[in-house]
Amino acid sequence: MDELYIRLFGNKSKDIIFESSKINYVRVSRELINDYLKMVNNPKINKFISKKNKTYTYSDELNWVNKKLEEKALIFSMIDKNTNKFVGNIELMNAKGDSLEIGISITEEFQNKHYGTEALSSIIDICFNKFNLKELNLSVFSDNERAIHCYKKLGFKEVKIDKNIITRDGKSINDIYMNLKNEKI
């Protein structure tokens, strides 16, 4: 992961690390903590982030940012090019050989506007074409239908389902694991 971190970030701090059509990708920062809090404490988003409902505090987010920066985590905050507003975060984690896991969260304001698809497409391109990774993995709750649709549209396939991991609104929710293989390797 350190090699990928250096190749992506170099010595940059707040600079744009890379960009796509509508999004600038920057390093996570303390300056965005209030935006992070607004996103993770939104009940419509929070329920898809973790198995536990939790309200995050400023201190929680500050600790999270500091930890990600210290670990040199491959996590990017996304900023809309037109409005300069915070869109969400996307992270590459759990490196195993030639594969990585992707995690993504988009603010409610930018959902249903194809920002998730654009961000994932950009990350897939970097992972497969710049770093020659063999596969990308992710997990998603079975009631996150919008995300599942996006992942399938980008070519992710279901590889495993953990049934009944939580109950939400009287319904049993599964954890779906998905995988995308690099067809060029």
Side-chain angles (χ1 to χ4, degrees):
M1 289 288 270
D2 281 345
E3 177 188 334
L4 293 178
Y5 181 88
I6 291 166
R7 286 176 64 188
L8 281 169
F9 290 114
N11 293 322
K12 300 175 184 178
S13 58
K14 293 181 190 173
D15 299 314
I16 297 168
I17 307 304
F18 63 98
E19 60 184 285
S20 57
S21 178
K22 299 184 289 190
I23 305 169
N24 287 325
Y25 301 81
V26 300
R27 188 186 314 243
V28 293
S29 78
R30 293 170 195 88
E31 290 83 16
L32 291 170
I33 288 177
N34 288 326
D35 292 306
Y36 301 152
L37 282 169
K38 185 178 177 186
M39 178 176 69
V40 298
N41 287 326
N42 179 325
K44 293 179 183 176
I45 296 175
N46 184 287
K47 71 180 188 175
F48 295 128
I49 293 174
S50 173
K51 294 174 188 165
K52 299 175 185 172
N53 250 350
K54 178 181 177 180
T55 300
Y56 295 89
T57 65
Y58 188 90
S59 178
D60 291 333
E61 285 303 290
L62 177 61
N63 290 336
W64 176 80
V65 168
N66 287 337
K67 180 181 175 198
K68 292 299 180 181
L69 291 171
E70 183 181 308
E71 292 174 350
K72 296 183 178 179
L74 294 173
I75 183 166
F76 309 95
S77 291
M78 299 176 280
I79 307 297
D80 179 66
K81 285 182 173 181
N82 291 324
T83 64
N84 211 32
K85 289 184 177 179
F86 173 69
V87 172
N89 290 322
I90 190 164
E91 183 172 13
L92 299 170
M93 55 200 159
N94 301 329
K96 292 180 184 140
D98 290 335
S99 71
L100 289 172
E101 183 179 345
I102 296 176
I104 185 169
S105 187
I106 304 289
T107 63
E108 186 175 11
E109 177 182 356
F110 287 96
Q111 291 182 5
N112 294 319
K113 297 178 181 175
H114 305 288
Y115 283 85
T117 302
E118 180 176 326
L120 286 165
S121 293
S122 296
I123 287 293
I124 291 166
D125 180 59
I126 288 169
C127 289
F128 285 172
N129 296 317
K130 186 172 183 175
F131 298 124
N132 296 316
L133 295 177
K134 291 183 181 175
E135 64 183 21
L136 297 171
N137 302 292
L138 58 83
S139 64
V140 59
F141 292 129
S142 59
D143 60 340
N144 194 347
E145 295 172 9
R146 181 175 39 234
I148 293 168
H149 173 77
C150 175
Y151 302 148
K152 286 182 175 181
K153 181 170 67 172
L154 292 170
F156 283 86
K157 308 261 189 269
E158 289 182 22
V159 292
K160 178 183 166 190
I161 297 176
D162 284 346
K163 296 194 177 279
N164 309 317
I165 60 158
I166 56 172
T167 301
R168 189 169 18 239
D169 301 325
K171 289 182 169 180
S172 180
I173 306 299
N174 301 327
D175 210 356
I176 301 171
Y177 295 86
M178 302 180 84
N179 175 283
L180 178 66
K181 302 235 186 252
N182 186 346
E183 300 297 326
K184 296 176 185 174
I185 292 181

